[in-house]
Amino acid sequence: MSYVASALREKHSEDKLHILSAKTNSDSFTYDGIDLGAERVTQETETYIKDLEAKGTRIRKLSVVGYSLGGLVARYVMGLLYSRGWFNQVKPVNFTTFATPHLGVRTPVLGVHSQVWNYLGASTLSISGRQLFTIDTFRDTGRPLLSILADPESIFVLALSCFQNRVLYANIVNDRSAPYYTTSISRTDPFTNINTLDLNYLPNYKPNILVPTNPITVKPQEKQPPLVSRLASSTQTIAARAPLFALLTVLIPIGSVVFFINSGIQSVRSQQRIRLHEQGKAGIGLGSYRIPMMVENARSTVEGALENISRTPTQNSLIAPDEQTNGHAEKARSKDQSTCSSRSEHMKQIEGFPTLALSSEQFAMIEALDDVGFKKYRVHIHKVGHSHAAIVVRTTRKGFDEGKVIIRHWLDEEFEI
C-alpha cells in the first residue's frame, strides 16, 4: 500500500491529513486470523490517535482503505472502534476496499477440482484460510467469522453504515487471489467470457474503469465458423503453447512442494502466535478488544460498568449497542437509509447471467452488504496476467502503471477529506 499512501500524501498535506499505514499485521502475521489481526491494528490505531492528541493534534475525521485481506481486517477494526465509542469522537467519512474478498475465496464452481482447491486452500493458510473459505466457527457463535462480519445486527455492519462514503474496486478479470464475484459482492460473474461483452468505460478513465451504473452491453451472438475451422484453430493454439505446458509440467510440482512446506512452517508459527495472544502474552490485553463482543451495552463496556452483565445475550458478540444508551446507532441507521437510496443505482446486480454456486451464508452476506450500500467500480487491468497486485501498484513494474489510473480515480472522484 506504499503507492496509495504516497499518492494520498502528494494530494493532501500533513497539516490536513495524517496517514497511518498499519504495520502490526504485516508479512506472515496475516496467517493469524482476521480477528486477531484486527485487534492488533485497533491497538495500533488507538495508540496513533492518542499520540497525536498528546502532541496537541485532535483528529476530527476518519477514513479507511483496505487492500485484499486488509479490507476484511478494516471492517473488523471499525466494529471494534465503534463499540469502544470512537465514532462519537470522530466522523467516519470514507471506507474503501481494493480487491477485497468480502465473501471469502471459496471457489463457486461445482466439480471435483473445485472441491479439492477449496479443501487445500483452507488447510494451508492456518486460521485465516479457514476464515476465508468460511469453514471456521467464530468463537461460540456456531457461524463463520465472515458471516458475523456481515450480520445486519452486528457492530461491524453498524460501524460500516456510519461512513459517509463506502466504495469498492474489483478486478473483472485475472485476479486469481480474489475473484470478481467476491471483491464486487456479486451473485454472478458476467466477465467469465469477456469477448462476448462490450465494456462501457468511464470517459476519463478508459480503458480501466467501467461505468458503475451500466458497465457492460452483451454483444449480439455471432455465427460460429465451421467445425473444421474451429478444430484447426484449436490445434494451432495447442501446438503454440506446447513448450509452455512442458515447462509448467516441471515447475508446478516443484512450486507446489515449496508452497506446502512454507505454508506448513507459517501455520505452525501462526498457531504459536495465536496461543500467546490468547494467553495475553502478545502485548495486547485480551480483554480490551473482546469485551465489546460479549456484552449487550457497549457503552457500559467502555465505561467499565459491568454490573449488568447478567443480561448478556447467548449470541454474545452479535448484539449492537443499546440505542437508548448510544444514540449513534439510530443515527447510523437513518443515515444509512438515505445513503442507500441515493446510491441504489450503483448497488444493482448485473442481471441476466447465471447465479454462482455460492453458499447460503454467502448469499446472506451479499444481501446484508448491499443493504448497507457500496458504490462499486469494476476495474479492467490489461497489461499483466495477474491483476490482484496491479490494482494498488504493489511494485514499480511497468505493467502496474494501470493501477495508478485506479488510485487517481479514487483520489479525484471518491475520496473526501
Side-chain angles (χ1 to χ4, degrees):
M1 293 290 283
S2 58
Y3 179 80
V4 176
S6 64
L8 272 168
R9 176 56 65 229
E10 184 176 342
K11 190 173 181 66
H12 302 289
S13 60
E14 191 169 356
D15 62 325
K16 292 185 177 180
L17 181 70
H18 291 271
I19 301 173
L20 168 63
S21 297
K23 297 179 175 61
T24 53
N25 205 39
S26 58
D27 301 325
S28 61
F29 279 46
T30 56
Y31 279 77
D32 300 350
I34 294 166
D35 50 328
L36 196 159
E39 291 176 8
R40 291 183 184 130
V41 174
T42 302
Q43 184 183 61
E44 185 178 4
T45 302
E46 290 184 325
T47 300
Y48 182 79
I49 294 175
K50 289 174 182 177
D51 287 347
L52 287 174
E53 290 178 343
K55 298 175 183 177
T57 300
R58 182 185 173 189
I59 301 299
R60 300 179 184 275
K61 297 180 180 180
L62 174 68
S63 292
V64 182
V65 55
Y67 162 65
S68 193
L69 180 68
L72 296 173
V73 172
R75 283 171 53 195
Y76 198 112
V77 170
M78 293 307 102
L80 293 182
L81 291 178
Y82 173 89
S83 70
R84 290 167 65 80
W86 279 101
F87 284 17
N88 294 323
Q89 303 177 42
V90 297
K91 178 183 178 182
V93 182
N94 307 290
F95 187 92
T96 308
T97 63
F98 293 94
T100 287
H102 291 283
L103 310 179
V105 294
R106 190 183 72 87
T107 301
V109 180
L110 302 176
V112 175
H113 67 286
S114 298
Q115 295 176 5
V116 170
W117 160 246
N118 289 336
Y119 173 78
L120 290 177
S123 303
T124 55
L125 296 174
S126 188
I127 184 61
S128 293
R130 297 180 65 82
Q131 291 172 347
L132 286 170
F133 282 86
T134 61
I135 63 169
D136 64 305
T137 299
F138 182 59
R139 298 185 188 159
D140 59 353
T141 65
R143 297 163 58 189
L145 180 143
L146 292 187
S147 175
I148 304 299
L149 208 57
D151 190 296
E153 298 302 318
S154 71
I155 57 175
F156 309 111
V157 169
L158 284 178
L160 200 56
S161 69
C162 290
F163 280 86
Q164 183 175 319
N165 307 305
R166 293 172 296 275
V167 180
L168 65 79
Y169 291 81
N171 286 310
I172 62 173
V173 291
N174 297 329
D175 193 328
R176 296 188 293 274
S177 298
Y180 168 80
Y181 83 93
T182 183
T183 56
S184 65
I185 314 175
S186 177
R187 296 177 177 83
T188 64
D189 185 354
F191 303 102
T192 53
N193 189 356
I194 201 169
N195 294 326
T196 64
L197 306 173
D198 284 325
L199 304 181
N200 305 321
Y201 296 103
L202 287 173
N204 296 328
Y205 302 95
K206 186 177 181 178
N208 297 119
I209 302 179
L210 277 60
V211 177
T213 53
N214 183 32
I216 61 173
T217 303
V218 179
K219 294 178 180 178
Q221 278 193 329
E222 297 180 358
K223 186 177 180 180
Q224 289 189 334
L227 178 61
V228 174
S229 300
R230 282 182 281 156
L231 289 175
S233 176
S234 299
T235 302
Q236 292 174 355
T237 301
I238 293 172
R241 294 180 178 178
L244 175 62
F245 291 151
L247 180 62
L248 291 177
T249 302
V250 176
L251 293 180
I252 287 178
I254 297 174
S256 298
V257 171
V258 173
F259 170 76
F260 284 118
I261 291 174
N262 179 66
S263 295
I265 294 172
Q266 296 302 337
S267 293
V268 170
R269 291 176 177 173
S270 174
Q271 290 299 326
Q272 293 172 343
R273 290 192 297 268
I274 293 171
R275 192 159 47 248
L276 289 174
H277 182 79
E278 294 296 328
Q279 294 171 355
K281 298 178 180 178
I284 298 176
L286 193 61
S288 299
Y289 302 116
R290 296 292 171 90
I291 292 177
M293 306 287 291
M294 297 174 65
V295 296
E296 182 174 0
N297 191 327
R299 182 179 178 185
S300 296
T301 301
V302 175
E303 296 172 352
L306 301 179
E307 63 271 15
N308 295 323
I309 199 167
S310 61
R311 296 204 301 265
T312 302
T314 55
Q315 293 280 331
N316 35 358
S317 66
L318 303 184
I319 305 301
D322 189 298
E323 294 189 18
Q324 291 181 347
T325 59
N326 187 350
H328 203 69
E330 187 174 352
K331 294 178 185 177
R333 291 182 189 275
S334 61
K335 179 167 67 173
D336 183 42
Q337 290 172 356
S338 62
T339 302
C340 286
S341 61
S342 65
R343 292 192 170 180
S344 59
E345 289 297 315
H346 296 289
M347 297 183 294
K348 285 183 178 178
Q349 301 284 335
I350 299 178
E351 304 295 342
F353 294 88
T355 300
L356 298 172
L358 303 176
S359 68
S360 58
E361 289 158 339
Q362 288 175 311
F363 284 121
M365 293 180 214
I366 293 171
E367 183 176 358
L369 293 174
D370 275 353
D371 282 346
V372 172
F374 276 88
K375 181 184 279 190
K376 301 178 181 181
Y377 287 104
R378 288 95 177 170
V379 173
H380 192 191
I381 301 291
H382 301 256
K383 296 180 182 178
V384 293
H386 187 23
S387 56
H388 190 70
I391 196 170
V392 292
V393 199
R394 278 185 62 181
T395 69
T396 56
R397 284 176 55 184
K398 185 177 180 180
F400 283 14
D401 286 349
E402 289 178 296
K404 296 179 181 179
V405 177
I406 314 307
I407 303 305
R408 175 169 61 85
H409 174 272
W410 172 59
L411 289 175
D412 292 349
E413 309 291 344
E414 291 298 335
F415 187 81
E416 295 184 27
I417 193 168

